[in-house]
């Protein structure tokens, strides 16, 4: 089992930058990927960034490509989401996710199979 805890959400102005952090604990060695999702009020949860934990290869949704960067500190079991040039429509609850490592996922859609979820961290852009 894997536990995920996000932090770093805040209320910011359009154009600002913000970094979210996700700390993983438990059986993290088994996960092939970690990812970030977001859910705005009244909308479905959206996969926005994913990373292969082994190779460090990253994938992004078109909505954030060029503005957001996912990265990891493998030794610390931590994944980051650096968000630049934030826009009001980036306002959402942001969630970290990890897969359980029972199959190698295809991350081409920035979708890491979310077998484990964090509790979320709120980002508000005005």
């Amino acid at each position: 089992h894997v536990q995920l805890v996000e932090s770093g959400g805040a209320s910011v102005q359009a154009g600002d930058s913000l970094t979210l952090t996700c700390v993983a604990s438990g059986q993290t060695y088994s996960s092939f990927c970690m990812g970030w999702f977001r859910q705005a009020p009244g909308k479905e949860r959206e996969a926005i960034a994913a990373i292969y934990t082994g190779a460090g290869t990253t994938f992004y949704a078109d909505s954030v490509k060029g503005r957001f960067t996912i990265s990891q500190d493998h030794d610390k079991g931590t994944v980051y989401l650096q968000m630049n040039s934030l826009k009001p429509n980036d306002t959402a609850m942001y969630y970290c996710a990890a897969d359980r490592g029972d199959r190698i996922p295809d991350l081409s859609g920035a979708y890491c199979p979310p077998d484990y979820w964090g509790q979320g961290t709120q980002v508000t852009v005005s």
Side-chain angles (χ1 to χ4, degrees):
H1 199 75
V2 174
Q3 296 81 41
L4 304 170
V5 179
E6 305 97 330
S7 62
S11 294
V12 298
Q13 299 289 320
D16 284 354
S17 297
L18 197 62
T19 298
L20 306 183
T21 299
C22 174
V23 178
S25 60
Q27 295 176 309
T28 57
Y29 56 83
S30 62
S31 293
F32 285 112
C33 65
M34 293 187 71
W36 287 96
F37 293 70
R38 68 184 181 186
Q39 188 167 21
K43 294 188 176 182
E44 293 188 354
R45 196 167 294 192
E46 172 191 19
I48 58 172
I51 186 168
Y52 279 118
T53 55
T57 314
T58 58
F59 301 83
Y60 300 94
D62 288 342
S63 57
V64 305
K65 197 173 294 183
R67 299 188 300 123
F68 290 12
T69 302
I70 186 172
S71 62
Q72 65 177 352
D73 184 328
H74 209 274
D75 291 341
K76 293 183 179 179
T78 301
V79 171
Y80 306 95
L81 186 68
Q82 171 69 40
M83 305 185 293
N84 298 328
S85 303
L86 282 162
K87 306 174 182 179
N89 62 6
D90 291 319
T91 294
M93 184 71 78
Y94 283 71
Y95 298 90
C96 177
D99 74 315
R100 61 173 168 260
D102 58 347
R103 70 294 192 201
I104 299 175
D106 176 4
L107 301 187
S108 57
Y111 182 86
C112 173
D115 297 312
Y116 305 106
W117 289 105
Q119 83 288 351
T121 187
Q122 177 68 37
V123 174
T124 302
V125 186
S126 59

